[in-house]
Amino acid sequence: MKKAFVFPGQGAQFSGMGKDLYDADPQARQMFDSANEILGFRITDIMFEGTDEELRQTKVTQPAVFLHSVISCLTTRGELRPDMVAGHSLGEFSALVVAGAVSFEDGLRLVLKRAMAMQKCCEKNPSTMAAVLGLADEVAEEVCRGISGIVVPANYNCPGQLVISGTNEAIDEACVKMKEAGAKRALKLAVGGAFHSPLMEDARVELAAAIEATTYHNPACPVYQNVDALPHSVADEIKANSIAQLTSPVRWTASVQNMIADGATHFYEYGPGEVLRGLIRKINKEVTLNE
C-alpha cells in the first residue's frame, strides 16, 4: 500500500478555517503564531473570524490555504508518512514543505511573494479564466489554438473538466466556440486574472528571484509537480519546476494517473475542503480516499 498526500489550491478557503487546529494542538498554535510574525499581520484573526470578503484578499487567501494545509497535515497525520506528494497550483508549495524540500517558514514567504506578484499581474493585464465541462482535452486545446488572442489551457482537473486562461475578450470568444464544439458548459470564473498562462510572466520573473534565493533540499519522497506531472526528487529540478509553474498548466489529471501507475492506492487530502477528493474520484474510482 502506497500513500499519496495531496494539497488543494486557492478557492478552498472558508471562514473559521484552522481554529480547531489552533485550539487543540500546541504545535499548531506555535506554527500559526510564527506565521503571524513572518507575514507581519495577524492572519489567524482573518482565518478564524474574518468574512469571506476578507479571506479573498490576495495577501490572505494563498497564505491561509497554505497554512491550513501544512499545519493540518503535520499535526494530524500521526505516524502516517507519504510515499509521494502533489499539490494543485498553490498546493504544490504545501506539498514541498510536507516533503521537506522547503522549510515551513520559507514556504510561507514564497507563497506570500507569489500571491502579491500574481496580484500585480492581474492589475496590469485585465484577464480571467473559464471552466469548460464535457469536452475532450484535445478538442478544447484545438479551440484555444484557433483564437487570435491569448487563451490557453490552465488546469487539466479531471477528464471532462478543463479550465482555460486568457484575456477577457479571448475567453469570451473561447466560451462561445467551446459550446459550438460540444462542451456541456463553458462559464467564466469569478477570478481576477489569467493564472497559469503567459499573462503571468511578470509574476514568474518576480517569484523566480525569490525562489532562486531560497534553499531547496532533496525531498523525503517524490513530488509530482504540476508542470510535467512527473515525480521529482532532486532539489534543483524541483526549484526550476516551481518557477515554471506560474505560466504553465496544472496537469492534475496526469499527476494523479502517474501516482496511481507508480503504486499509490490511498490518497489523503490535507487542507480546507474536499475539492481534490472529488477530482480524484472522477480520475480513478478504484483508489481509496481517506478521511
Side-chain angles (χ1 to χ4, degrees):
M1 176 183 109
K2 284 193 175 180
K3 300 174 291 299
F5 285 11
V6 295
F7 303 89
Q10 191 169 340
Q13 67 275 3
F14 63 92
S15 183
M17 60 190 285
K19 189 171 190 312
D20 55 337
L21 297 168
Y22 188 93
D23 290 342
D25 189 282
Q27 181 189 357
R29 194 153 49 247
Q30 185 274 322
M31 294 177 78
F32 276 121
D33 289 342
S34 173
N36 286 336
E37 291 185 25
I38 291 168
L39 295 172
F41 66 95
R42 291 187 57 79
I43 193 171
T44 49
D45 290 350
I46 305 173
M47 290 175 66
F48 301 166
E49 300 162 10
T51 63
D52 289 343
E53 186 175 346
E54 287 172 320
L55 271 172
R56 279 196 293 270
Q57 294 176 77
T58 302
K59 69 176 183 179
V60 173
T61 309
Q62 293 192 30
V65 173
F66 167 86
L67 288 170
H68 188 283
S69 300
V70 172
I71 294 173
S72 66
C73 179
L74 296 182
T75 61
T76 68
R77 66 181 178 177
E79 297 301 312
L80 281 178
R81 294 295 180 272
D83 297 292
M84 56 192 81
V85 297
H88 190 288
S89 188
L90 160 70
E92 185 164 289
F93 288 86
S94 306
L96 293 178
V97 171
V98 169
V102 177
S103 73
F104 168 71
E105 295 80 6
D106 283 345
L108 179 57
R109 291 186 186 98
L110 288 178
V111 165
L112 180 63
K113 172 65 77 173
R114 181 182 189 269
M116 302 310 286
M118 289 169 72
Q119 178 64 25
K120 278 193 253 181
C121 264
C122 294
E123 292 166 359
K124 179 180 177 183
N125 302 306
S127 53
T128 191
M129 303 174 82
V132 180
L133 307 179
L135 199 62
D137 291 346
E138 300 76 19
V139 177
E141 290 165 351
E142 187 62 34
V143 170
C144 287
R145 283 194 290 271
I147 292 170
S148 57
I150 296 175
V151 58
V152 296
N155 301 338
Y156 293 87
N157 284 334
C158 67
Q161 186 186 128
L162 179 76
V163 175
I164 56 175
S165 258
T167 61
N168 292 324
E169 302 77 15
I171 288 288
D172 286 338
E173 183 183 346
C175 284
V176 172
K177 296 275 177 63
M178 294 290 180
K179 289 174 186 169
E180 290 174 355
K184 290 179 184 173
R185 296 178 75 188
L187 60 159
K188 289 169 77 170
L189 301 176
V191 296
F195 307 145
H196 300 287
S197 83
L199 294 168
M200 286 286 121
E201 175 60 20
D202 287 353
R204 187 198 67 78
V205 171
E206 192 171 334
L207 183 61
I211 288 175
E212 290 292 2
T214 299
T215 300
Y216 273 53
H217 307 277
N218 292 342
C221 65
V223 181
Y224 287 69
Q225 292 192 269
N226 291 177
V227 296
D228 59 9
L230 297 175
H232 294 275
S233 297
V234 177
D236 286 347
E237 283 180 19
I238 292 170
K239 182 177 276 197
N241 289 335
S242 298
I243 293 169
Q245 192 217 53
L246 268 188
T247 52
S248 303
V250 175
R251 300 188 180 279
W252 187 251
T253 302
S255 296
V256 173
Q257 289 170 336
N258 288 340
M259 286 190 282
I260 293 168
D262 292 340
T265 55
H266 290 64
F267 282 78
Y268 298 77
E269 180 175 5
Y270 289 98
E274 297 184 348
V275 171
L276 299 184
R277 289 166 60 86
L279 296 180
I280 293 167
R281 192 175 286 114
K282 289 174 182 172
I283 294 167
N284 186 303
K285 291 182 170 62
E286 305 302 314
V287 297
T288 299
L289 300 171
N290 290 79
E291 296 295 340

